[in-house]
PDB file of all heavy atoms in Angstrom:
ATOM      1  N   ALA M 338      -1.223 -18.449 -17.664  1.00  0.00           N
ATOM      2  CA  ALA M 338       0.177 -18.644 -18.030  1.00  0.00           C
ATOM      3  C   ALA M 338       0.632 -20.090 -17.808  1.00  0.00           C
ATOM      4  O   ALA M 338       1.778 -20.412 -18.099  1.00  0.00           O
ATOM      5  CB  ALA M 338       1.064 -17.693 -17.226  1.00  0.00           C
ATOM      6  N   GLY M 339      -0.269 -20.924 -17.304  1.00  0.00           N
ATOM      7  CA  GLY M 339       0.082 -22.321 -17.080  1.00  0.00           C
ATOM      8  C   GLY M 339       0.930 -22.543 -15.840  1.00  0.00           C
ATOM      9  O   GLY M 339       1.576 -23.579 -15.693  1.00  0.00           O
ATOM     10  N   ARG M 340       0.935 -21.579 -14.921  1.00  0.00           N
ATOM     11  CA  ARG M 340       1.752 -21.696 -13.713  1.00  0.00           C
ATOM     12  C   ARG M 340       0.955 -22.122 -12.499  1.00  0.00           C
ATOM     13  O   ARG M 340       1.531 -22.308 -11.421  1.00  0.00           O
ATOM     14  CB  ARG M 340       2.417 -20.335 -13.403  1.00  0.00           C
ATOM     15  CG  ARG M 340       3.253 -19.783 -14.535  1.00  0.00           C
ATOM     16  CD  ARG M 340       4.437 -20.679 -14.854  1.00  0.00           C
ATOM     17  NE  ARG M 340       5.253 -20.126 -15.913  1.00  0.00           N
ATOM     18  CZ  ARG M 340       6.241 -19.273 -15.749  1.00  0.00           C
ATOM     19  NH1 ARG M 340       6.540 -18.866 -14.526  1.00  0.00           N
ATOM     20  NH2 ARG M 340       6.945 -18.815 -16.782  1.00  0.00           N
ATOM     21  N   LEU M 341      -0.344 -22.245 -12.651  1.00  0.00           N
ATOM     22  CA  LEU M 341      -1.206 -22.632 -11.517  1.00  0.00           C
ATOM     23  C   LEU M 341      -2.366 -23.455 -12.034  1.00  0.00           C
ATOM     24  O   LEU M 341      -2.982 -23.093 -13.042  1.00  0.00           O
ATOM     25  CB  LEU M 341      -1.716 -21.378 -10.805  1.00  0.00           C
ATOM     26  CG  LEU M 341      -2.611 -21.550  -9.580  1.00  0.00           C
ATOM     27  CD1 LEU M 341      -1.851 -22.253  -8.452  1.00  0.00           C
ATOM     28  CD2 LEU M 341      -3.150 -20.214  -9.098  1.00  0.00           C
ATOM     29  N   ALA M 342      -2.663 -24.530 -11.333  1.00  0.00           N
ATOM     30  CA  ALA M 342      -3.776 -25.384 -11.723  1.00  0.00           C
ATOM     31  C   ALA M 342      -5.099 -24.689 -11.443  1.00  0.00           C
ATOM     32  O   ALA M 342      -5.239 -23.959 -10.442  1.00  0.00           O
ATOM     33  CB  ALA M 342      -3.712 -26.708 -10.979  1.00  0.00           C
ATOM     34  N   GLU M 343      -6.074 -24.921 -12.311  1.00  0.00           N
ATOM     35  CA  GLU M 343      -7.373 -24.269 -12.142  1.00  0.00           C
ATOM     36  C   GLU M 343      -8.036 -24.653 -10.830  1.00  0.00           C
ATOM     37  O   GLU M 343      -8.702 -23.835 -10.192  1.00  0.00           O
ATOM     38  CB  GLU M 343      -8.286 -24.635 -13.319  1.00  0.00           C
ATOM     39  CG  GLU M 343      -7.903 -23.964 -14.621  1.00  0.00           C
ATOM     40  CD  GLU M 343      -8.991 -24.119 -15.667  1.00  0.00           C
ATOM     41  OE1 GLU M 343     -10.148 -24.383 -15.294  1.00  0.00           O
ATOM     42  OE2 GLU M 343      -8.689 -23.992 -16.861  1.00  0.00           O
ATOM     43  N   GLN M 344      -7.882 -25.895 -10.402  1.00  0.00           N
ATOM     44  CA  GLN M 344      -8.508 -26.330  -9.159  1.00  0.00           C
ATOM     45  C   GLN M 344      -7.925 -25.576  -7.952  1.00  0.00           C
ATOM     46  O   GLN M 344      -8.671 -25.114  -7.095  1.00  0.00           O
ATOM     47  CB  GLN M 344      -8.319 -27.832  -8.967  1.00  0.00           C
ATOM     48  CG  GLN M 344      -9.009 -28.376  -7.708  1.00  0.00           C
ATOM     49  CD  GLN M 344      -8.862 -29.898  -7.580  1.00  0.00           C
ATOM     50  OE1 GLN M 344      -8.230 -30.535  -8.422  1.00  0.00           O
ATOM     51  NE2 GLN M 344      -9.435 -30.467  -6.543  1.00  0.00           N
ATOM     52  N   ALA M 345      -6.616 -25.436  -7.914  1.00  0.00           N
ATOM     53  CA  ALA M 345      -5.994 -24.706  -6.815  1.00  0.00           C
ATOM     54  C   ALA M 345      -6.404 -23.229  -6.840  1.00  0.00           C
ATOM     55  O   ALA M 345      -6.688 -22.635  -5.798  1.00  0.00           O
ATOM     56  CB  ALA M 345      -4.477 -24.833  -6.891  1.00  0.00           C
ATOM     57  N   ALA M 346      -6.453 -22.657  -8.030  1.00  0.00           N
ATOM     58  CA  ALA M 346      -6.863 -21.260  -8.152  1.00  0.00           C
ATOM     59  C   ALA M 346      -8.296 -21.085  -7.729  1.00  0.00           C
ATOM     60  O   ALA M 346      -8.673 -20.089  -7.092  1.00  0.00           O
ATOM     61  CB  ALA M 346      -6.665 -20.779  -9.589  1.00  0.00           C
ATOM     62  N   GLY M 347      -9.162 -22.064  -8.091  1.00  0.00           N
ATOM     63  CA  GLY M 347     -10.564 -21.975  -7.742  1.00  0.00           C
ATOM     64  C   GLY M 347     -10.779 -21.974  -6.239  1.00  0.00           C
ATOM     65  O   GLY M 347     -11.600 -21.225  -5.716  1.00  0.00           O
ATOM     66  N   GLN M 348     -10.034 -22.817  -5.533  1.00  0.00           N
ATOM     67  CA  GLN M 348     -10.174 -22.869  -4.075  1.00  0.00           C
ATOM     68  C   GLN M 348      -9.757 -21.544  -3.443  1.00  0.00           C
ATOM     69  O   GLN M 348     -10.460 -21.015  -2.551  1.00  0.00           O
ATOM     70  CB  GLN M 348      -9.311 -24.009  -3.521  1.00  0.00           C
ATOM     71  CG  GLN M 348      -9.814 -25.387  -3.900  1.00  0.00           C
ATOM     72  CD  GLN M 348      -8.880 -26.492  -3.436  1.00  0.00           C
ATOM     73  OE1 GLN M 348      -7.732 -26.243  -3.027  1.00  0.00           O
ATOM     74  NE2 GLN M 348      -9.338 -27.741  -3.503  1.00  0.00           N
ATOM     75  N   ALA M 349      -8.639 -20.999  -3.872  1.00  0.00           N
ATOM     76  CA  ALA M 349      -8.185 -19.723  -3.318  1.00  0.00           C
ATOM     77  C   ALA M 349      -9.141 -18.590  -3.703  1.00  0.00           C
ATOM     78  O   ALA M 349      -9.409 -17.694  -2.883  1.00  0.00           O
ATOM     79  CB  ALA M 349      -6.762 -19.411  -3.826  1.00  0.00           C
ATOM     80  N   SER M 350      -9.671 -18.634  -4.918  1.00  0.00           N
ATOM     81  CA  SER M 350     -10.566 -17.574  -5.372  1.00  0.00           C
ATOM     82  C   SER M 350     -11.868 -17.567  -4.588  1.00  0.00           C
ATOM     83  O   SER M 350     -12.425 -16.498  -4.300  1.00  0.00           O
ATOM     84  CB  SER M 350     -10.863 -17.747  -6.868  1.00  0.00           C
ATOM     85  OG  SER M 350      -9.706 -17.580  -7.640  1.00  0.00           O
ATOM     86  N   ARG M 351     -12.370 -18.734  -4.225  1.00  0.00           N
ATOM     87  CA  ARG M 351     -13.623 -18.778  -3.466  1.00  0.00           C
ATOM     88  C   ARG M 351     -13.467 -18.126  -2.099  1.00  0.00           C
ATOM     89  O   ARG M 351     -14.375 -17.432  -1.624  1.00  0.00           O
ATOM     90  CB  ARG M 351     -14.083 -20.239  -3.310  1.00  0.00           C
ATOM     91  CG  ARG M 351     -14.737 -20.789  -4.590  1.00  0.00           C
ATOM     92  CD  ARG M 351     -15.407 -22.119  -4.319  1.00  0.00           C
ATOM     93  NE  ARG M 351     -14.428 -23.178  -4.114  1.00  0.00           N
ATOM     94  CZ  ARG M 351     -13.868 -23.903  -5.080  1.00  0.00           C
ATOM     95  NH1 ARG M 351     -14.174 -23.656  -6.360  1.00  0.00           N
ATOM     96  NH2 ARG M 351     -12.998 -24.849  -4.817  1.00  0.00           N
ATOM     97  N   SER M 352     -12.320 -18.307  -1.477  1.00  0.00           N
ATOM     98  CA  SER M 352     -12.071 -17.667  -0.190  1.00  0.00           C
ATOM     99  C   SER M 352     -11.999 -16.148  -0.356  1.00  0.00           C
ATOM    100  O   SER M 352     -12.554 -15.376   0.435  1.00  0.00           O
ATOM    101  CB  SER M 352     -10.749 -18.195   0.409  1.00  0.00           C
ATOM    102  OG  SER M 352     -10.440 -17.491   1.597  1.00  0.00           O
ATOM    103  N   ILE M 353     -11.331 -15.695  -1.426  1.00  0.00           N
ATOM    104  CA  ILE M 353     -11.238 -14.263  -1.700  1.00  0.00           C
ATOM    105  C   ILE M 353     -12.612 -13.691  -1.995  1.00  0.00           C
ATOM    106  O   ILE M 353     -12.974 -12.603  -1.523  1.00  0.00           O
ATOM    107  CB  ILE M 353     -10.287 -14.006  -2.889  1.00  0.00           C
ATOM    108  CG1 ILE M 353      -8.867 -14.382  -2.518  1.00  0.00           C
ATOM    109  CG2 ILE M 353     -10.368 -12.561  -3.336  1.00  0.00           C
ATOM    110  CD1 ILE M 353      -7.883 -14.346  -3.671  1.00  0.00           C
ATOM    111  N   ASP M 354     -13.424 -14.427  -2.750  1.00  0.00           N
ATOM    112  CA  ASP M 354     -14.754 -13.937  -3.108  1.00  0.00           C
ATOM    113  C   ASP M 354     -15.645 -13.751  -1.886  1.00  0.00           C
ATOM    114  O   ASP M 354     -16.459 -12.828  -1.828  1.00  0.00           O
ATOM    115  CB  ASP M 354     -15.416 -14.901  -4.095  1.00  0.00           C
ATOM    116  CG  ASP M 354     -14.807 -14.829  -5.483  1.00  0.00           C
ATOM    117  OD1 ASP M 354     -14.124 -13.818  -5.769  1.00  0.00           O
ATOM    118  OD2 ASP M 354     -15.003 -15.769  -6.275  1.00  0.00           O
ATOM    119  N   ARG M 355     -15.482 -14.631  -0.899  1.00  0.00           N
ATOM    120  CA  ARG M 355     -16.287 -14.489   0.315  1.00  0.00           C
ATOM    121  C   ARG M 355     -15.916 -13.194   1.050  1.00  0.00           C
ATOM    122  O   ARG M 355     -16.795 -12.469   1.521  1.00  0.00           O
ATOM    123  CB  ARG M 355     -16.095 -15.702   1.226  1.00  0.00           C
ATOM    124  CG  ARG M 355     -16.814 -16.963   0.760  1.00  0.00           C
ATOM    125  CD  ARG M 355     -16.853 -18.016   1.831  1.00  0.00           C
ATOM    126  NE  ARG M 355     -15.487 -18.542   2.116  1.00  0.00           N
ATOM    127  CZ  ARG M 355     -14.945 -19.561   1.499  1.00  0.00           C
ATOM    128  NH1 ARG M 355     -15.618 -20.211   0.542  1.00  0.00           N
ATOM    129  NH2 ARG M 355     -13.736 -19.989   1.817  1.00  0.00           N
ATOM    130  N   SER M 356     -14.630 -12.942   1.143  1.00  0.00           N
ATOM    131  CA  SER M 356     -14.190 -11.691   1.782  1.00  0.00           C
ATOM    132  C   SER M 356     -14.633 -10.479   0.993  1.00  0.00           C
ATOM    133  O   SER M 356     -15.075  -9.472   1.576  1.00  0.00           O
ATOM    134  CB  SER M 356     -12.667 -11.693   1.936  1.00  0.00           C
ATOM    135  OG  SER M 356     -12.230 -12.772   2.762  1.00  0.00           O
ATOM    136  N   LEU M 357     -14.530 -10.550  -0.317  1.00  0.00           N
ATOM    137  CA  LEU M 357     -14.975  -9.449  -1.172  1.00  0.00           C
ATOM    138  C   LEU M 357     -16.470  -9.190  -0.998  1.00  0.00           C
ATOM    139  O   LEU M 357     -16.913  -8.028  -0.929  1.00  0.00           O
ATOM    140  CB  LEU M 357     -14.683  -9.768  -2.644  1.00  0.00           C
ATOM    141  CG  LEU M 357     -13.362  -9.286  -3.220  1.00  0.00           C
ATOM    142  CD1 LEU M 357     -13.166  -9.825  -4.619  1.00  0.00           C
ATOM    143  CD2 LEU M 357     -13.311  -7.769  -3.228  1.00  0.00           C
TER     144      LEU M 357
END
Side-chain angles (χ1 to χ4, degrees):
R340 304 297 181 88
L341 181 64
E343 288 192 21
Q344 183 177 1
Q348 292 175 347
S350 295
R351 282 191 288 274
S352 175
I353 294 172
D354 288 342
R355 285 193 292 270
S356 298
L357 268 173

